[in-house]
């Protein structure tokens, strides 16, 4: 089981967004059968089986084992990942595109950049998994508190200058291109979205 998986297929995204299937995916953090899941979620075993087949068809659950129980075979399933992210590529032509309105101070542009990050990482993770290779990435996550808007602007200017110096120092015409994304946004407090 992966810790996180990116859903790129529109049909898989649709299947994962069904509230009952979301409950089943959460319950399948631990392996379970349609019978054990039916008791947990309060549905008939046949309905759970229907949802499991749909989730399995889209690679969201995987078979762990089959057990013979009398005259039928019980299938034990588990979620293919602990959590999922739906790639903007599942939206096709209406997915966010940062090239439409590049504005360094726009929250919507930052959101489009984040969407591109999810889309590109989803493609890279899928490709690396197929090639059975590790994917070289690096990320920094931190928080900073500014005393004023002027300090925030000064920080942004200094950060941009520092990054430009690093890029000019290490950029070369050979090798593989890498994308660099740095974002500064207010931290969302738990009570603001809970």
């Amino acid at each position: 089981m992966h810790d996180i998986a990116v859903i790129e297929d529109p049909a898989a995204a649709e299947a994962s967004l069904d509230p009952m299937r979301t409950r089943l995916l959460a319950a399948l953090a631990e392996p379970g059968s349609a019978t054990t899941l039916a008791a947990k979620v309060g549905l008939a075993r046949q309905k759970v089986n229907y949802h499991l087949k749909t989730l399995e068809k889209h690679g969201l659950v995987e078979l762990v084992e089959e057990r013979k129980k009398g005259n039928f075979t019980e299938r034990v399933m588990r979620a293919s990942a602990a959590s999922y992210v739906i790639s903007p590529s599942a939206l096709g032509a209406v997915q966010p595109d940062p090239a439409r309105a590049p504005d360094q101070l726009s929250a919507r542009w930052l959101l489009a950049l984040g969407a591109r990050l999810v889309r590109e990482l989803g493609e890279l993770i899928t490709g690396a998994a197929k090639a059975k290779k590790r994917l070289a990435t690096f990320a920094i996550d931190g928080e900073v508190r500014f005393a004023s808007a002027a300090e925030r602007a000064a920080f942004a200017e200094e950060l941009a200058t520092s990054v430009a110096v690093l890029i000019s120092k290490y950029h070369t015409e050979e090798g593989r291109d890498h994308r660099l994304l740095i974002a500064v946004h207010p931290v969302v407090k738990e009570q603001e979205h809970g």
Side-chain angles (χ1 to χ4, degrees):
M1 175 190 289
H2 300 290
D3 55 340
I4 189 167
V6 180
I7 299 171
E8 299 175 272
D9 176 56
E14 180 181 2
S16 73
L17 291 172
D18 176 277
M20 180 51 66
R21 291 182 189 140
T22 301
R23 286 181 62 198
L24 291 171
L25 285 171
L28 285 171
E30 298 294 324
S33 67
T35 303
T36 60
L37 290 168
K40 284 183 183 178
V41 299
L43 268 186
R45 182 182 56 79
Q46 294 84 350
K47 287 197 179 226
V48 170
N49 251 334
Y50 165 78
H51 289 302
L52 288 177
K53 285 180 182 175
T54 301
L55 292 169
E56 185 178 22
K57 173 182 160 187
H58 296 293
L60 301 171
V61 298
E62 55 197 16
L63 181 65
V64 174
E65 68 175 305
E66 292 182 323
R67 301 175 186 152
K68 271 298 224 193
K69 293 250 180 172
N71 60 351
F72 79 96
T73 302
E74 180 180 59
R75 300 179 82 227
V76 177
M77 310 296 287
R78 75 169 174 210
S80 58
S83 58
Y84 301 87
V85 173
I86 297 175
S87 171
S89 64
L91 296 171
V94 296
Q95 68 180 292
D97 181 1
R100 285 191 195 123
D103 174 3
Q104 287 183 309
L105 301 177
S106 166
R108 294 187 193 289
W109 188 60
L110 177 56
L111 187 59
L113 290 173
R116 181 181 67 194
L117 177 71
V118 170
R119 179 180 48 79
E120 289 180 352
L121 278 174
E123 291 172 14
L124 290 167
I125 288 168
T126 300
K130 285 180 183 173
K132 294 184 174 18
K133 292 187 175 184
R134 288 183 45 112
L135 180 60
T137 63
F138 172 75
I140 296 174
D141 182 31
E143 291 184 22
V144 59
R145 183 173 295 168
F146 301 108
S148 66
E151 279 194 8
R152 185 181 64 238
F155 175 86
E157 181 63 34
E158 189 173 340
L159 181 61
T161 301
S162 298
V163 169
V165 167
L166 279 171
I167 288 173
S168 66
K169 179 178 178 181
Y170 289 100
H171 180 75
T172 180
E173 296 304 315
E174 289 128 34
R176 184 173 183 181
D177 290 337
H178 285 72
R179 185 172 307 283
L180 173 68
L181 172 64
I182 299 173
V184 177
H185 62 83
V187 174
V188 177
K189 302 291 183 204
E190 284 302 314
Q191 65 272 16
E192 290 178 12
H193 62 83

